[in-house]
Amino acid sequence: MMTFPTQAVVLAGGQGSRLRPYTDDRPKPMVEIPGTGTPIIGHQLAWLAAEGVTDAVVSCGHLAEVLQEWLEASELPLRVTTVVEQEPLGRGGGLKYAAARLPEPEQPWYATNGDIWTRFSLREMAAFHAERDATATLALARPRIPWGAVETDEFGHVLDFIESPPSPYLINAGVYVFSPAFASLLPDRGDHERTTFPRLARERSLAGFPLPQGAYWRAIDTAKDLTEAAKELAAAAR
């Protein structure tokens, strides 16, 4: 019988420069979704706990103390440890540094970027990962293109206008399942998406889990993303 991961790393050290002025006095994961009264990381931790995670390591960087104070003052649904990089280690180095604090290094683990707001079954993703005997599995999203698209025929006649169509490409959704061996493959400093992931892809030990149809997913990068997320939330509550 399969046992699902119960530990996770949340990468919450980003500067969030495109979200200014919201991030002038707080790190990006501490920005609140309008109308919820809860920062992005609060939604993430609630989701992880609902998916069976009991221990999370939060990797802090920019304005770390703001995030740490909020975590200490909040009633959280799981145990949280924070780590702070004393010097920038890059995404891969930061992930390795945080993974060293996981309570069960010999067990698989989840990871998520701190600016992702999503809901889908992590257990399904973990089962997909195990079935393929992958070293790492990334969730794949199909975002909507922010511009309208124009459809033409072979003669150049415009046939239709399509508002915000889905992208023809899948993208890395910033949510992962990792096998215990993965942490040792990470660089001490640098970006694993340019080193470790391509290497695993060549070895056919990197898997991609497409988000289920209808799953909610949004990366909160700009003020427009915050507004859109609040709108979607209000629509879902109706």
Side-chain angles (χ1 to χ4, degrees):
M1 185 179 151
M2 180 174 169
T3 54
F4 296 102
T6 58
Q7 52 187 0
V9 168
V10 180
L11 293 171
Q15 293 264 348
S17 51
R18 288 197 293 161
L19 259 175
R20 286 190 177 131
Y22 297 101
T23 49
D24 285 346
D25 60 354
R26 68 195 64 193
K28 196 176 182 185
M30 279 300 300
V31 173
E32 290 184 6
I33 307 286
T36 71
T38 305
I40 299 164
I41 194 161
H43 293 282
Q44 286 189 320
L45 294 174
W47 173 55
L48 290 170
E51 290 292 324
V53 174
T54 56
D55 291 88
V57 179
V58 177
S59 175
C60 312
H62 175 64
L63 297 173
E65 62 287 352
V66 178
L67 180 49
Q68 288 173 315
E69 281 168 22
W70 182 83
L71 290 167
E72 282 163 23
S74 302
E75 278 192 35
L76 300 171
L78 71 181
R79 286 183 292 275
V80 172
T81 308
T82 57
V83 297
V84 183
E85 295 172 30
Q86 300 311 316
E87 54 181 317
L89 299 173
R91 287 190 295 183
L95 192 55
K96 188 173 193 172
Y97 184 63
R101 296 294 299 277
L102 288 167
E104 297 181 277
E106 71 294 341
Q107 294 295 327
W109 46 292
Y110 299 119
T112 178
N113 295 346
D115 57 358
I116 301 297
W117 192 28
T118 187
R119 286 290 182 279
F120 65 92
S121 171
L122 277 174
R123 290 182 179 96
E124 274 181 32
M125 185 175 169
F128 179 97
H129 169 83
E131 279 163 15
R132 282 147 189 81
D133 196 23
T135 304
T137 296
L138 33 148
L140 303 175
R142 192 179 295 279
R144 290 200 164 271
I145 296 170
W147 307 282
V150 179
E151 191 183 335
T152 62
D153 66 14
E154 64 270 30
F155 297 109
H157 300 123
V158 172
L159 301 176
D160 202 0
F161 297 91
I162 307 157
E163 197 57 46
S164 298
S167 165
Y169 296 105
L170 292 164
I171 64 160
N172 178 351
V175 180
Y176 311 92
V177 185
F178 296 132
S179 295
F182 179 75
S184 65
L185 304 176
L186 285 165
D188 292 324
R189 166 186 310 265
D191 188 349
H192 60 295
E193 295 195 11
R194 294 183 180 173
T195 54
T196 314
F197 280 175
R199 175 185 155 189
L200 291 176
R202 286 193 298 273
E203 295 168 0
R204 296 293 183 269
S205 53
L206 181 67
F209 174 76
L211 292 188
Q213 192 73 30
Y216 184 81
W217 178 88
R218 182 173 284 281
I220 309 290
D221 281 325
T222 63
K224 185 169 184 258
D225 292 322
L226 276 178
T227 312
E228 293 292 326
K231 266 194 225 157
E232 286 157 357
L233 198 66
R238 278 193 210 118

